[in-house]
Structures are given as structure tokens and as C-alpha cells.
């Protein structure tokens, strides 16, 4: 079975540019989560969706960040405009319905903003 | 507001059992204990979870004390590939959709 697929694996861009990160969850999973990981702050939850509907976006740092889930098999996290402090590894995860279900993570996108 | 306390780092000799402790003294009756690990440059990986009974799967065993205030993750025969950061998390079904990761324990497996 294919796991959670994220693209690109690495992204390097200049500040001010728009960045779009993509995620394909595991087929049949009801929940999708976006995390950010930095050395200083560790692993932080940014936003999560249930059945394509955003449930909690309290972790989104500011209005420059937005996330969408247009269908059950695709989600995007967009940063516009990007800043150097957005440099981090961004992970996507998915899980089945039921809070007992474990989350399955992708391999992440390593983002560097110059 | 971390619900769990873990040592920042531990060493274990290859081939020996690695015992990773976790304190969760404020755990509620309906909260489960979960363990994940993160190998360098990869996403976190689910290991095991339990409520009050000890659990075992192909990766590890989870021992939860009778008062449920602490638990231990056991990797029975550690290999170099088990070098990772291990996260202990408490989470309530039907209340906590999301996982709050703490700092975890950095486990070094020594050859």
C-alpha cells in the first residue's frame, strides 16, 4: 500500500515567492494533518481536516499560510509571501476516523527560504 | 502544556533491550498512551498504543503501570536502525483528534 505522499521533497526559493506544498493521503483515510518541524519549536500541528473540512487551524502561524483540501485525495499548504523564518520541514499525515487510530506520516518537504 | 515527561536522551547497546520511560501522572481515565518514533530525515512512525493493559506488537512492547501514571516502551533487541527520537503521547478517543508532540527521548543505539 502506498503511504502518504508529499511533494516536493525539497524546495528552495527566495523570500517573497509563493510556495505550495502538496499531500496525497492514504486512500480511505478521513483525517489529514499538516505539521511543521524546526529545531527550535519541534513538531507543531498547523491545521487538520476531517472529510475535507478544516476542523482546527489554530496552529497556522499567520495569514500568509493557507491550506485547502479540495477532495479526499489531495491537500495543499500554501505560503504567500514566504519568509526565511518559514524554513522548516513540513509533514503531512492522515488517519482513519476514530481518535484511536494512529496517524501515518509522509516523508516531509524540506523548505528553505533564502 | 505537555502531558508527558521523558528523559531527553538515552543510550543502549546493540542487541540489548531498550527501555524508554514516560511519566504521565495527570492522565485521565479515558486517555490512551501512544508511542511514535522519528528516524532522522523521516516522518514520525507509529509504534504502539495502549489504555491500561500491556500491549505487544512486532515492533515493541508497552508496559503501563497499574495506576497508569507511567509507562515503558520496550524494544526487545535494539539494532542500529532503532536510533531515533521516541515520543510518548497521551490522547483521548473522541476528544483529541490531534496529537501534541513533546520533545521526546533521543535514543542512541551503540554498536
Amino acid at each position: 500500500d502506498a503511504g502518504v505522499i508529499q511533494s516536493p521533497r525539497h524546495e528552495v526559493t527566495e523570500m517573497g515567492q509563493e510556495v505550495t506544498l502538496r499531500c496525497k493521503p492514504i486512500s480511505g483515510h478521513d483525517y489529514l494533518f499538516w505539521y511543521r518541524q524546526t529545531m527550535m519549536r519541534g513538531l507543531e500541528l498547523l491545521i487538520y481536516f476531517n472529510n475535507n473540512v478544516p476542523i482546527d487551524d489554530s496552529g497556522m502561524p499567520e495569514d500568509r499560510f493557507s491550506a485547502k483540501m479540495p477532495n479526499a485525495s489531495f491537500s495543499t499548504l500554501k505560503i504567500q509571501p514566504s519568509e526565511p523564518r518559514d524554513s522548516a520541514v513540513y509533514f503531512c499525515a492522515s488517519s482513519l476516523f476514530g481518535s484511536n487510530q494512529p496517524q501515518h506520516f509522509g516523508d516531509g518537504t524540506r523548505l528553505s527560504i533564502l | 502544556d505537555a502531558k508527558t515527561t521523558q528523559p531527553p536522551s538515552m543510550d543502549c547497546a546493540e542487541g540489548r533491550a531498550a527501555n524508554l520511560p514516560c511519566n504521565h501522572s495527570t492522565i485521565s481515565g479515558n486517555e490512551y498512551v501512544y508511542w511514535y518514533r522519528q528516524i532522522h530525515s523521516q516522518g514520525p512512525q507509529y509504534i504502539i498504543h495502549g489504555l491500561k493493559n500491556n500491549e505487544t506488537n512486532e515492533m515493541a512492547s508497552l508496559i503501563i503501570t497499574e495506576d497508569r501514571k507511567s509507562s515503558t516502551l520496550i524494544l526487545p533487541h535494539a539494532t542500529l536502525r532503532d536510533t531515533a527520537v521516541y515520543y510518548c503521547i497521551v490522547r483521548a478517543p473522541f476528544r483529541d483528534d490531534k496529537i501534541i508532540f513533546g520533545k521526546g527521548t533521543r535514543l542512541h543505539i551503540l554498536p
Side-chain angles (χ1 to χ4, degrees):
Chain A
D1 289 340
V4 175
I5 300 172
Q6 293 186 244
S7 64
R9 289 297 312 276
H10 303 274
E11 175 90 10
V12 180
T13 191
E14 294 184 346
M15 67 176 293
Q17 297 297 308
E18 179 179 286
V19 172
T20 299
L21 311 181
R22 297 173 175 80
C23 176
K24 177 179 169 56
I26 294 173
S27 178
H29 279 194
D30 308 277
Y31 284 90
L32 185 138
F33 304 81
W34 281 102
Y35 291 85
R36 177 174 69 175
Q37 187 171 36
T38 62
M39 288 291 293
M40 291 294 294
R41 300 175 67 89
L43 201 58
E44 304 174 279
L45 177 67
L46 300 177
I47 185 171
Y48 75 94
F49 297 81
N50 180 17
N51 291 325
N52 314 337
V53 176
I55 302 299
D56 184 348
D57 66 354
S58 59
M60 296 285 263
E62 48 196 276
D63 292 345
R64 298 184 297 105
F65 286 69
S66 63
K68 294 182 179 179
M69 192 165 185
N71 57 62
S73 59
F74 183 66
S75 177
T76 60
L77 178 68
K78 191 169 293 187
I79 309 172
Q80 167 63 21
S82 58
E83 297 182 3
R85 60 191 168 126
D86 302 329
S87 298
V89 182
Y90 290 81
F91 290 103
C92 177
S94 70
S95 73
L96 290 167
F97 173 75
S99 295
N100 235 9
Q101 298 293 332
Q103 293 182 16
H104 300 266
F105 284 76
D107 286 334
T109 294
R110 184 173 296 275
L111 178 63
S112 297
I113 309 297
L114 307 177
Chain B
D1 49 347
K3 292 184 177 181
T4 64
T5 303
Q6 299 177 252
S9 67
M10 291 182 61
D11 292 337
C12 179
E14 188 178 18
R16 304 296 295 270
N19 297 279
L20 292 93
C22 180
N23 286 319
H24 31 79
S25 58
T26 60
I27 192 169
S28 301
N30 64 342
E31 288 183 318
Y32 282 69
V33 180
Y34 285 76
W35 284 84
Y36 284 75
R37 74 179 182 183
Q38 187 173 21
I39 296 170
H40 182 62
S41 297
Q42 296 181 21
Q45 176 190 24
Y46 165 78
I47 301 173
I48 198 168
H49 74 279
L51 181 62
K52 52 185 175 182
N53 297 323
N54 297 336
E55 302 287 344
T56 296
N57 63 21
E58 66 279 4
M59 290 182 67
S61 295
L62 173 61
I63 308 297
I64 302 174
T65 58
E66 193 168 341
D67 63 7
R68 303 206 327 118
K69 293 185 176 182
S70 65
S71 60
T72 300
L73 179 75
I74 302 173
L75 309 177
H77 305 286
T79 71
L80 297 177
R81 289 176 296 180
D82 292 321
T83 293
V85 178
Y86 288 77
Y87 298 97
C88 171
I89 297 152
V90 296
R91 187 179 174 210
F94 310 112
R95 187 196 74 195
D96 297 333
D97 291 332
K98 56 189 180 183
I99 294 175
I100 307 298
F101 285 86
K103 296 187 184 300
T105 295
R106 187 172 296 275
L107 177 66
H108 300 275
I109 305 300
L110 307 174

